[in-house]
Amino acid sequence: MKSALIAALLFSGQAIDGDGYEPAEWFTDQRVLACAPATLSSKDTLVLTLGPAHGRELAIRRVADNTWYFLVVSSPADDEPQLMTPDEFFIAARVKIPATFEARTSGGPLEPVLNRPGRYEAYVSDVLESEVGGHVCRFDYVGASRDDSSSTEAKPEALRYERLAAERTPSIWQAGSTWELEVYDSKDQVATSISFKITDEPADTCMSGDWKKLLTLRENKPTTRNPAYMLAGRNLSILLSTGLCDAYDELQGELDARGFEGRRVLSGLFGGADQGKALGKPSLEAAMLAPSLPLQSGEYIFQHRFYEHPGLPSIRVTASISGRHIVLNNEIASGAFPKGIIAEGTLIWHKASGEWIIGQDVPDGDADEVGGCSDGPEVVDLRERIYWTC
């Protein structure tokens, strides 16, 4: 993967294009500069893999507030710690930077370079503070590791990210499924609505990590451009646009069995800003994709059957269907069921089994097991008018 970004300003004091300087051009090319791991904690070590002609200088930038730490430069200040000399860096093929390595910002105190969770970038160049440009790679820092009880960095958001990263990605997020996404503004009003399809095809982005393509199906206003996503367990990041490097329109949040909830963050060379919440759910149409309902809205008599003993006599129940909503009512108390409503929910097509189920939400359509004596949703045969239980 190789892509370029144009940065008119690397630092607030650098002359811009209009003052006679060409904008600095920064490339992402893992053959020249690669960051690993893509996500690290306070006990980890950042490893930079360097290719030929990677440059003589190195800096780390925290994206959220545009804070820079210059770890290898030709003329450092007397009190500015350096990782190594420019000559040593120039011939290095691999550089390790502990998460605890300390440096200074301009005029700031000595502090760990990675001192708060968030996204960071590593820059290499022959001359950082110039229009020469160079290469960049990106990584995420989550703070204290789970077993680092002595660390003062054990912030709830960092620990939560790490915990969710270790959990299984919910089955509702899978290649081939379609999702509906609503992105809100700072006034909690819907700014844009997007429908997209998940793929497992690799995406070309300016960020490190295992990014995959999203296909935009429709949107109520132009927002996306070659969108992509990356998973870390239940953590989900969505880049709404991958067309411009170092100007990111990203959704950061988490998945559960019902959908996605997160925040929209705009970030670039000069910091980031929270734009509002973002909510997503599997497309109802996709989750219910099936032959048309065999029964129209109305009341019907269904026969109850036991899955393990299908020939055993049982009760009849009244089924009230309104669209995709179904209510099963037992008119007379029996040994199997009390009198009254015994099941209620949404009729959803379970593609894997080829059965209609009585679900409570869209994700039930992707349940691992349904019917019988499983813990999944109950099956109802709409053609034969049979209600199955264990």
Side-chain angles (χ1 to χ4, degrees):
M1 176 184 68
K2 183 176 181 179
S3 52
L5 62 92
I6 303 297
L9 293 173
L10 178 57
F11 325 104
S12 59
Q14 183 176 326
I16 63 171
D17 199 16
D19 290 332
Y21 287 91
E22 291 294 327
E25 189 172 10
W26 299 92
F27 292 90
T28 57
D29 187 343
Q30 294 191 6
R31 295 170 299 180
V32 180
L33 173 65
C35 293
T39 302
L40 69 157
S41 72
S42 60
K43 284 194 171 184
D44 294 327
T45 296
L46 174 66
V47 178
L48 302 181
T49 302
L50 305 166
H54 58 266
R56 300 174 58 84
E57 298 188 343
L58 166 67
I60 300 290
R61 181 175 81 96
R62 185 168 60 238
V63 173
D65 57 1
N66 196 39
T67 296
W68 289 81
Y69 298 91
F70 295 92
L71 306 189
V72 181
V73 291
S74 297
S75 301
D78 292 339
D79 60 350
E80 190 171 343
Q82 294 288 281
L83 187 66
M84 60 184 66
T85 69
D87 288 342
E88 292 170 333
F89 184 69
F90 181 74
I91 63 174
R94 185 181 175 94
V95 170
K96 295 183 178 181
I97 307 173
T100 54
F101 183 82
E102 294 186 336
R104 298 182 191 274
T105 59
S106 179
L110 191 65
E111 61 184 4
V113 173
L114 306 181
N115 57 57
R116 69 180 69 169
R119 178 150 296 155
Y120 287 76
E121 297 172 333
Y123 286 80
V124 297
S125 173
D126 283 327
V127 185
L128 284 168
E129 297 185 81
S130 73
E131 69 277 12
V132 170
H135 288 80
V136 60
C137 63
R138 296 167 177 84
F139 60 94
D140 291 319
Y141 176 64
V142 297
S145 58
R146 184 180 292 116
D147 58 351
D148 189 5
S149 59
S150 63
S151 174
T152 59
E153 298 180 75
K155 296 182 179 181
E157 63 271 22
L159 295 177
R160 181 172 182 81
Y161 183 96
E162 189 174 3
R163 176 175 62 80
L164 294 180
E167 295 183 13
R168 179 183 177 184
T169 301
S171 62
I172 59 170
W173 185 274
Q174 57 183 310
S177 63
T178 60
W179 277 58
E180 305 293 334
L181 191 68
E182 288 190 335
V183 183
Y184 293 73
D185 59 23
S186 59
K187 296 181 180 179
D188 211 27
Q189 301 296 312
V190 176
T192 184
S193 298
I194 306 166
S195 175
F196 59 82
K197 183 177 182 179
I198 302 170
T199 82
D200 57 4
E201 298 178 37
D204 186 16
T205 77
C206 296
M207 292 186 175
S208 300
D210 186 20
W211 292 91
K212 302 291 181 64
K213 292 181 180 179
L214 291 173
L215 299 180
T216 302
L217 302 178
R218 60 180 180 273
E219 49 190 331
N220 65 344
K221 63 177 64 174
T223 304
T224 65
R225 182 182 177 188
N226 299 324
Y229 73 93
M230 182 172 67
L231 293 167
R234 283 178 50 204
N235 298 299
L236 172 65
S237 296
I238 297 176
L239 279 174
L240 295 179
S241 175
T242 59
L244 181 62
C245 294
D246 228 30
Y248 307 117
D249 190 351
E250 185 177 4
L251 307 181
Q252 303 172 357
E254 57 191 63
L255 292 163
D256 60 22
R258 294 180 178 274
F260 167 80
E261 182 173 353
R263 308 293 299 180
R264 184 184 190 182
V265 179
L266 300 181
S267 62
L269 278 175
F270 303 101
D274 186 297
Q275 301 298 301
K277 69 182 180 181
L279 302 175
K281 295 186 72 173
S283 167
L284 188 62
E285 292 86 352
M288 295 180 176
L289 187 61
S292 59
L293 281 172
L295 298 176
Q296 297 180 351
S297 297
E299 289 198 352
Y300 302 87
I301 300 299
F302 275 53
Q303 178 67 52
H304 171 256
R305 287 281 185 266
F306 293 102
Y307 176 76
E308 291 189 324
H309 305 283
L312 191 68
S314 189
I315 63 173
R316 293 188 175 188
V317 297
T318 300
S320 299
I321 297 176
S322 177
R324 290 185 178 273
H325 187 74
I326 185 170
V327 178
L328 297 178
N329 189 64
N330 181 27
E331 302 290 348
I332 302 174
S334 69
F337 298 102
K339 181 179 179 180
I341 295 175
I342 57 175
E344 182 176 5
T346 301
L347 291 169
I348 299 175
W349 180 251
H350 188 257
K351 185 177 180 180
S353 65
E355 302 278 6
W356 290 97
I357 61 173
I358 302 177
Q360 301 304 315
D361 206 345
V362 172
D364 287 338
D366 291 323
D368 293 334
E369 295 181 307
V370 297
C373 293
S374 71
D375 293 328
E378 294 174 334
V379 167
V380 58
D381 186 333
L382 298 180
R383 294 191 179 280
E384 300 298 327
R385 302 183 189 182
I386 298 174
Y387 168 52
W388 292 93
T389 68
C390 185

